[in-house]
Amino acid sequence: MPDRASPALCPSARCEPGALLVGVVNPDGAVGYVRPAPEVDEAFVERARARGRPETAFRFAQPCAESGCGYWDGGCRVASMAVEAFADADPDHLPRCGIRPACRWFRQEGAAACRACALVVTDVV
């Protein structure tokens, strides 16, 4: 059962100090998860930005901005869109995610969001 007492984390956040590194985008485009999800520091951000747009190579999590986000309509539209777009994701496989209990997408869409999450890249160039 998700821990509803903790703040919800957006698993599609920007690379900024304090964000959590959720995963690495593999050459095949799928996300390989990092467990536990370490906190990103300024040095990591600088190195990652020196190589381009970090969000194309990594996935980050930060507290969900809810109504402060353009994708919020009382719920996370990105989560809903991911579940719809990747409805054919392997139903027997849930990735080993380091933020699942606090994840906004999981809290909203359940296991279907977890299956879709591994196929989402935050910032496609």
Side-chain angles (χ1 to χ4, degrees):
M1 190 71 174
D3 176 7
R4 304 249 180 225
S6 65
L9 294 174
C10 171
S12 188
R14 294 288 174 200
C15 179
E16 300 173 345
L20 299 176
L21 176 61
V22 176
V24 177
V25 180
N26 294 316
D28 67 358
V31 176
Y33 291 89
V34 177
R35 283 188 62 182
E39 187 172 317
V40 171
D41 61 16
E42 186 64 45
F44 178 92
V45 172
E46 288 176 21
R47 287 190 310 270
R49 287 185 180 157
R51 295 176 180 235
R53 296 167 75 178
E55 294 81 8
T56 63
F58 303 100
R59 286 279 301 283
F60 302 95
Q62 292 192 45
C64 175
E66 295 185 353
S67 61
C69 175
Y71 290 100
W72 185 260
D73 64 359
C76 179
R77 286 188 321 205
V78 175
S80 300
M81 291 185 299
V83 167
E84 184 178 324
F86 298 109
D88 59 345
D90 183 352
D92 296 322
H93 175 73
L94 287 184
R96 294 180 43 92
C97 172
I99 67 162
R100 184 172 291 127
C103 179
R104 164 65 62 203
W105 294 7
F106 177 69
R107 288 180 179 183
Q108 179 177 317
E109 301 287 341
C114 296
R115 289 188 289 272
C117 184
L119 304 172
V120 174
V121 176
T122 301
D123 189 4
V124 179
V125 177

